[in-house]
Amino acid sequence: MKPPPLEILYEDNHLLVVNKPAGLPTMGVSPDKPSLLTVAKDYVKHRYQKPGNVYLGILSRLDAPVTGVVLLARTSKAARRLTEQFRERSVEKTYWALVEGALQPHEGTCEN
C-alpha cells in the first residue's frame, strides 16, 4: 500500500509540520505498513540526501481515521524543548470537526 503524498505546512531546521491524511496512522504500526513517521522520515532523507537514519520526534499525534496538523521535531534538542512545553501545558491544542447535517445533541463526546 502506497501512502498518500505528504503535505508540508511548515519546515525549518528544527521543525516539520505536516497535514496528516486520514487513514494514515501517526506511528506504531508494523514496519511493512506506512505511517506518518516513516513517510516523513523518507521525505527528509530524500529532500536533504541524508545517508543514514533520519531523526524525527513525534510531538503530537492524531488517530489514524482523522486528518489534521502534526508537529515533528527534526532534532532531539527541539524535541526536548517542545515536549517540556507540552508537559507544562504552555502549548494550546484545538480540535475541530466538520460534520454534515444537524447534530443532536449539540454537545457530546465522539469516540472512535
Side-chain angles (χ1 to χ4, degrees), residues 1-102:
M1 174 169 88
K2 184 175 176 157
L6 196 58
E7 182 183 355
I8 308 298
L9 302 175
Y10 177 81
E11 180 177 3
D12 66 18
N13 292 337
H14 309 283
L15 298 174
L16 180 64
V17 182
V18 300
N19 182 23
K20 186 192 88 59
L24 183 67
T26 302
M27 58 189 282
V29 295
S30 63
D32 61 321
K33 295 186 180 180
S35 70
L36 179 67
L37 182 59
T38 58
V39 172
K41 282 183 176 185
D42 190 52
Y43 162 79
V44 170
K45 183 175 191 72
H46 287 93
R47 176 170 169 96
Y48 298 102
Q49 288 119 31
K50 295 227 175 230
N53 291 333
V54 171
Y55 175 84
L56 283 179
I58 297 281
L59 297 163
S60 60
R61 294 184 298 246
L62 292 173
D63 292 338
V66 300
T67 185
V69 177
V70 176
L71 178 62
L72 299 99
R74 292 195 50 208
T75 66
S76 58
K77 185 176 185 178
R80 276 193 310 277
R81 288 179 175 177
L82 288 162
T83 297
E84 183 64 26
Q85 290 177 13
F86 276 96
R87 187 178 308 117
E88 292 173 350
R89 300 200 182 270
S90 61
V91 174
E92 183 178 322
K93 294 190 260 181
T94 303
Y95 296 92
W96 292 79
L98 297 176
V99 296
E100 185 176 328

